[in-house]
Amino acid sequence: MEFRLTAEQELWKNTVREFAERELEPIARKIDEEWERIPDEIIRKMADLGIFGVTIPEEYGGMAMPGEEMQYAVITIHELARGELSMSLPVYTLLCIGWPLLLVPYGTKEAKEEILPKVASGEWFLGINTTEPGGGSDLANIVTVGRSDGDKWIVNGEKAYISGVREATERGGGHLTLFKTDPTKGYKGTTFAYFPADAPGTTYTTYRDMGRMGLSTGGFVYKNVEIPKKYILGEENKGFYVNMEGFNVARALVSAACLGGAEKCLEISREYTKQRVLFGRPLVNFEAISFEIADDYAQLELLKLMLQKGAWMIDQFYQDRSSFTKEEINRTISICKAHAPMLAVEIAKHGMMYHGASGYTKDTPLEMALRGFMSYVVGAEGGYHIQKIIIARDYIGEEAVPYRGTQKAH
Amino acid sequence: MNIVVCLKQIPDLQQIRIKDRRPLLEGAPLIFGDMDKSALEEAVRIKEKAKGTKVTALAMGGAKLKDGIKEALAIGADEAVLLMDPPFAGSDTMGTARALAKAIEKLGEHDLILCGEGSTDNYSGQVGPRLAELLDLPQITYVRELEIEGNKLKAVRNMEESFEVVETELPALVTVADEINQPRLASLRDILKAARKPVQEWTAADLGLSEDEVGAKGSAIETVSNLAPEQERKQVVFKGDLDEVTENLINALTKEGVLGR
């Protein structure tokens, strides 16, 4: 059993931390409020450092360490989130480095050669596109349809609450998209493929979010959009499984973003309560404060360890598919995704309370972090309650699965 | 051209806790000091300009050096030599300089030795000059700008009140101030490549040094105590007319060197 990072992982962690302190911390507030976008200059610097290549093999322009892709990805996102507490940049990045992990084993060579080098160089954005106006958790009932026409599909439909609609359209790139190719069947009629954001017939709208304002959220409308079949991941009508497998990667990285941000918020609170003197002693000398910080720290360390294990399991799985079952990975990652965003919200909220009235102002980054974290409690590859369904399905059994209809007791 | 950069692992000063004025060094992560990293960065920049340059990172320290040296290799050193041996432990600046000098002689031909002007922990600033004496090389300290053309080295030294421009011929030893450059961050590609670069470990015996010449035994300096400086706040309060006190405050801060630097 080995709980230590390798020397190279440790060095990479310190490198990304220093980059985040030097380049991101000073501009996080501007990303969230002033620019409402991530500057190109920062994306270029991240690409130079190799951040967008951590999961992409060398042959496709990346610099992944084979067998440690997820571990590097988790380290990267954790450290970026410490420096950019609005969560805009960590989420932009986690989408770009998460989904290549699925494109590599399931994409066609042609698609990989076209897309991956552009993602690794930071030029293109790569996101995920499953949710529809009707909902995001009930994916068997999506209605966007692709009609087969020779070597392409003609797609009509609508997607909603998609991260990076503007970025993919303006910068280049696109989204891995789940759509129906056999509308008579539920999830067994779905296909998963890359949709370039600039495919003719595609339009987008954006929403006003509560937080992480530096990354757009919006919807796509598809009117007779031609998608070449070379962009498929896996097989036709079996897209649901590939998509679900990808959610484990994305959930792990969302957890990493929340834990990195939470760690930073907790450090802000620790330093503040040590220095702030009230009633003749440091604030942290009151046990109501120090005990809560101790509890939050303990929860944070527990989840970091769980996520480290989950990332390692995913890495083992892609090296040897008999190493872990998908169910084992599902439950490990769902535990992280259920609790990391919730803990992050709690830690930010506690920090705001230690700061008193100033905690409710924009003088600290805590409110910005809280707004960003909430996004991942509510949604992002399955909200809080969906993760519980997954954990319950696995731990309790079929009796606990609501989407299978009325269940009889066994 | 062959460049040797001397590096020292020190406790990360940002992460040291002080208890009863004593720094708690145990458990603090070890890093290379800022000026050492600037020396390495300068060597890598020279290498990028002058083809065929080889940069060797040389460091003395404990077991953690084995992992730590990978940072130097990732930033651009071509190979590393580590002086890791129990007899080296507790060396003072003289013992350290002796060991480094022997190692540099063992490495063979060298054109430029680069060091930080001091280590960020003890800051004696002695190892570079002592090393130059032992190797019988011209030494230029406190360098903020460095230029090499052929066999000539031109350097600008920071003498605080003035700059001094000096020239010498190679081989030479230069100690750099951290203002000379902003050390780069190693990219992931360079970090992963670093694992394949050659690293040698030499003992005192490999260098032909006896136990009386290095380490605690060979040390002329005894550390009596190591205490954190106590900084009392000045607690100056200006009262009165707002414009007047503002001016007084600005004057006081300027006098302290906080403003107008």
Side-chain angles (χ1 to χ4, degrees), chain B residues 40-252:
Chain B
L40 176 65
E41 173 68 29
E42 204 58 23
V44 176
R45 288 185 189 188
I46 294 168
K47 181 179 107 173
E48 283 166 348
K49 273 191 230 153
K51 291 267 175 265
T53 298
K54 188 171 88 178
V55 177
T56 304
L58 173 62
M60 189 167 88
K64 287 192 172 164
L65 200 50
K66 261 182 157 171
D67 283 344
I69 200 65
K70 288 182 179 174
E71 183 181 8
L73 295 167
I75 284 171
D78 299 292
E79 55 172 53
V81 172
L82 308 181
L83 308 183
M84 285 170 44
D85 195 14
F88 289 133
S91 290
D92 62 4
T93 52
M94 193 59 215
T96 304
R98 266 190 210 120
L100 294 176
K102 288 282 184 193
I104 290 168
E105 279 167 4
K106 190 172 155 77
L107 275 167
E109 216 167 285
H110 46 267
D111 304 286
L112 181 61
I113 315 297
L114 280 166
C115 306
E117 69 172 49
S119 60
T120 329
D121 55 348
N122 293 334
Y123 219 134
S124 75
Q126 291 191 26
V127 172
R130 285 183 188 277
L131 186 54
E133 283 304 313
L134 290 170
L135 294 169
D136 197 19
L137 290 175
Q139 54 167 300
I140 309 177
T141 50
Y142 306 111
V143 169
R144 70 190 304 276
E145 275 177 59
L146 187 60
E147 215 176 293
I148 290 171
E149 264 196 47
N151 200 33
K152 277 243 161 58
L153 181 155
K154 193 170 135 188
V156 180
R157 304 179 69 212
N158 185 350
M159 309 312 304
E160 293 199 347
E161 299 296 313
S162 63
F163 294 154
E164 190 176 85
V165 182
V166 292
E167 277 185 16
T168 183
E169 280 186 3
L170 297 176
L173 183 142
V174 168
T175 74
V176 306
D178 61 2
E179 71 210 68
I180 194 168
N181 57 42
Q182 158 93 287
R184 73 193 66 189
L185 293 171
S187 72
L188 180 57
R189 193 185 300 276
D190 292 334
I191 288 172
L192 297 180
K193 260 191 348 205
R196 297 195 290 267
K197 291 184 175 176
V199 178
Q200 298 187 66
E201 289 172 33
W202 291 347
T203 62
D206 290 337
L207 300 178
L209 285 164
S210 74
E211 292 198 10
D212 299 336
E213 292 172 280
V214 290
K217 273 193 189 169
S219 184
I221 297 170
E222 186 194 342
T223 304
V224 179
S225 77
N226 185 7
L227 298 177
E230 270 179 321
Q231 278 185 327
E232 288 292 328
R233 295 192 177 207
K234 296 206 170 164
Q235 306 199 343
V236 180
V237 179
F238 294 105
K239 284 182 181 161
D241 173 62
L242 185 61
D243 289 335
E244 207 174 287
V245 297
T246 308
E247 203 177 318
N248 288 341
L249 177 63
I250 290 169
N251 288 340

Side-chain angles (χ1 to χ4, degrees), chain A residues 7-8 11-12 15 18-19 22 48-50 53-54 58 61-65 72 270 274, chain B residues 15 17 31 37 67-68 70-72 74 182-189 191-192 194-195:
Chain A
E8 285 74 19
L11 191 48
W12 177 240
T15 298
E18 203 171 327
F19 173 81
R22 220 193 261 180
D48 286 347
L49 216 50
V54 293
E58 226 167 335
M63 50 219 73
M65 178 71 185
Y72 273 93
R270 182 185 62 187
K274 274 163 85 170
Chain B
Q15 298 196 41
R17 291 185 183 209
I31 57 168
K37 277 168 94 170
D67 283 344
K70 288 182 179 174
E71 183 181 8
Q182 158 93 287
R184 73 193 66 189
L185 293 171
S187 72
L188 180 57
R189 193 185 300 276
I191 288 172
L192 297 180

Side-chain angles (χ1 to χ4, degrees), chain A residues 121-142:
Chain A
S121 70
E123 208 176 323
W124 278 11
F125 173 82
L126 183 64
I128 174 70
N129 192 24
T130 52
T131 303
E132 298 195 350
S137 303
D138 184 9
L139 288 177
N141 290 315
I142 58 169

Side-chain angles (χ1 to χ4, degrees), chain A residues 5 15 33 48 59 100 105-106 140 186 271 277 287 293 312 346 359 365:
Chain A
L5 300 185
T15 298
E33 278 186 9
D48 286 347
E59 57 178 311
Y106 294 109
E271 296 316 308
V277 175
E287 283 163 350
I293 290 178
W312 175 81
E346 284 301 302

